[in-house]
Amino acid sequence: MVLPAGAPTPGVVSRLTEVASRIANLPGAGLLTVVASVAVGVVLANFLVRLIGRPVARRVSRQSVAQTIVRGVRAGTIGAALLVGLSAAGFQFEELLLGTAVFSAVIGIVLAPLVGNFINGVFVLADQPFEIGDMIELEDGTAGFVEDITIRYTKIFTLDNTFLVVPNGTMRERDVTNLSAEDERTRRSIDVLVTYESDIPEARRRIERAARDCEAVIDGGPDIRIGVARYMAGPDCRLHEFGDDGILLRLRYWVKKPYKLAKIQSDVNTRIRERLGEPEANVTMAYPHRHLVFDDTSGVARVDAGAGASGPGDRTASAAATPDLTDDGPPGSDRSGDDASAGPSGGGVPEVDRDDSGDGRTER
């Protein structure tokens, strides 16, 4: 029999088969096969990521979705290599399926939060409430930039130079304010309380001028459209309500960038205080006033002149020193029985009335 050119001889084939059989019978050969398969899968995954990374980034406009696709390709390649290695090592997948069926309840309870985060991560990527690079604010006041969005969690780089990692299950349950989605211009408001005696038109003009003096505030231009409505782009101060302590003026202004809102509001407040504090402004900032009124016609003070005497009609010192606040009539009117009859001879308790006439005399 003539063999084709370049074909291995039967002796070589049998020898290679024998070597492979001996390697397979070595202790730990199955583990080495799995490790080698995974290593090959990692190398192949890195090659595929470099190959498809740029085309995916160009075709997919959202950075978070593009990163998720690349990560999915990497994880899928390594997972496929792991399955190939297990199959080559002789692993029986029927046993795995049987074990999964037996422990499915336990695995479901343990992995429920993780699975929930995966599902919510898909919704976050599909709903597009925010994107990498957007500035967001959580319901607890935490503000920062979205650093990364994965299938399990969202990473936020806060304004305090710290990282906040929030699971996607928790992220979808929170109220998230996106401050830089599409249009970065953000409207803010400041309330100013002035007295009723102030020049209200002048106060409104000065407050609007104070906001225009800030460089970060939009001082005019075309109206800004929100939905079907249009709003004035420049600062606008309006009379909001009549309060108990003064007239409440509300300033609304637009900020060009939402990244330093606290500093911008502080600058606007400072300029408002300076504008309204000028003498020619004829504007006074109001604050609550409280007047305490004491009724000097109520109550009668009693003095026990015979506190040391003993007798059935004498009063004790503690009772005599207590003012009587249950006055049934104006000073000088007749009082109840024992009070009216008490005197120097009745119990040693003289009655001293408050001076209501204003002439300095005390009526007994």
Side-chain angles (χ1 to χ4, degrees):
M1 183 178 64
V2 180
L3 296 175
T9 62
V12 175
V13 173
S14 60
R15 191 174 294 274
L16 290 176
T17 304
E18 183 181 357
V19 171
S21 177
R22 290 181 179 180
I23 293 176
N25 293 330
L26 291 176
L31 179 61
L32 292 177
T33 303
V34 174
V35 172
S37 177
V38 171
V40 173
V42 171
V43 174
L44 181 60
N46 293 333
F47 173 75
L48 291 177
V49 167
R50 289 194 298 268
L51 182 63
I52 68 173
R54 290 185 178 180
V56 170
R58 286 195 298 265
R59 291 179 177 272
V60 180
S61 59
R62 297 188 60 199
Q63 182 180 355
S64 59
V65 176
Q67 291 182 358
T68 302
I69 293 175
V70 172
R71 289 168 181 163
V73 171
R74 182 193 300 272
T77 304
I78 297 176
L82 176 62
L83 293 178
V84 171
L86 291 175
S87 178
F91 184 80
Q92 300 295 328
F93 289 96
E94 293 80 3
E95 299 178 359
L96 177 62
L97 295 177
L98 180 61
T100 303
V102 173
F103 297 102
S104 59
V106 177
I107 295 176
I109 295 175
V110 174
L111 299 181
L114 184 60
V115 174
N117 289 331
F118 272 97
I119 296 175
N120 286 290
V122 174
F123 281 113
V124 168
L125 293 174
D127 296 340
Q128 307 179 14
F130 44 80
E131 186 52 72
I132 295 177
D134 287 351
M135 183 178 183
I136 63 174
E137 182 177 355
L138 303 180
E139 58 185 354
D140 59 356
T142 302
F145 297 90
V146 179
E147 181 72 15
D148 193 10
I149 303 175
T150 68
I151 201 68
R152 294 187 298 108
Y153 61 84
T154 299
K155 183 185 291 186
I156 303 173
F157 191 68
T158 67
L159 300 182
D160 298 328
N161 198 26
T162 58
F163 275 112
L164 179 63
V165 178
V166 184
N168 288 328
T170 305
M171 199 69 181
R172 290 195 70 235
E173 296 176 355
R174 292 188 175 187
D175 294 334
V176 180
T177 303
N178 194 333
L179 299 175
S180 58
E182 299 180 0
D183 193 348
E184 292 184 336
R185 295 174 296 182
T186 305
R187 189 169 69 172
R188 310 292 290 179
S189 62
I190 296 176
D191 291 340
V192 181
L193 190 67
V194 299
T195 60
Y196 281 92
E197 296 78 16
S198 301
D199 188 349
I200 302 302
E202 180 65 19
R204 294 175 59 184
R205 285 192 295 269
R206 287 179 174 269
I207 291 175
E208 293 175 356
R209 196 178 307 121
R212 289 191 177 93
D213 291 342
C214 296
E215 183 179 357
V217 176
I218 300 176
D219 58 357
D223 293 342
I224 297 177
R225 181 174 182 177
I226 302 179
V228 297
R230 294 183 179 272
Y231 296 91
M232 182 184 301
D236 182 25
C237 182
R238 300 185 180 184
L239 196 156
H240 184 63
E241 67 178 15
F242 298 99
D244 296 335
D245 303 303
I247 296 178
L248 183 62
L249 304 178
R250 175 161 295 177
L251 170 68
R252 294 183 182 273
Y253 61 96
W254 290 87
V255 179
K256 299 177 182 177
K257 301 287 184 180
Y259 308 126
K260 297 181 180 180
L261 295 178
K263 181 180 182 302
I264 296 172
Q265 183 167 351
S266 176
D267 294 341
V268 175
N269 286 333
T270 302
R271 285 174 169 80
I272 289 176
R273 185 68 182 92
E274 293 174 353
R275 291 282 186 178
L276 298 184
E278 296 176 356
E280 63 274 10
N282 193 22
V283 178
T284 303
M285 301 184 69
Y287 55 89
H289 291 76
R290 297 292 180 267
H291 296 278
L292 301 179
V293 179
F294 297 93
D295 187 5
D296 56 356
T297 63
S298 62
V300 176
R302 301 173 181 274
V303 178
D304 188 359
S310 61
D314 294 340
R315 299 177 182 269
T316 61
S318 60
T322 304
D324 185 4
L325 300 180
T326 58
D327 191 6
D328 296 330
S333 62
D334 293 336
R335 306 185 60 80
S336 59
D338 57 338
D339 292 340
S341 61
S345 60
V349 185
E351 182 176 346
V352 181
D353 292 341
R354 190 181 301 275
D355 181 18
D356 296 328
S357 59
D359 55 1
R361 294 178 298 177
T362 303
E363 182 181 358
R364 296 183 180 274

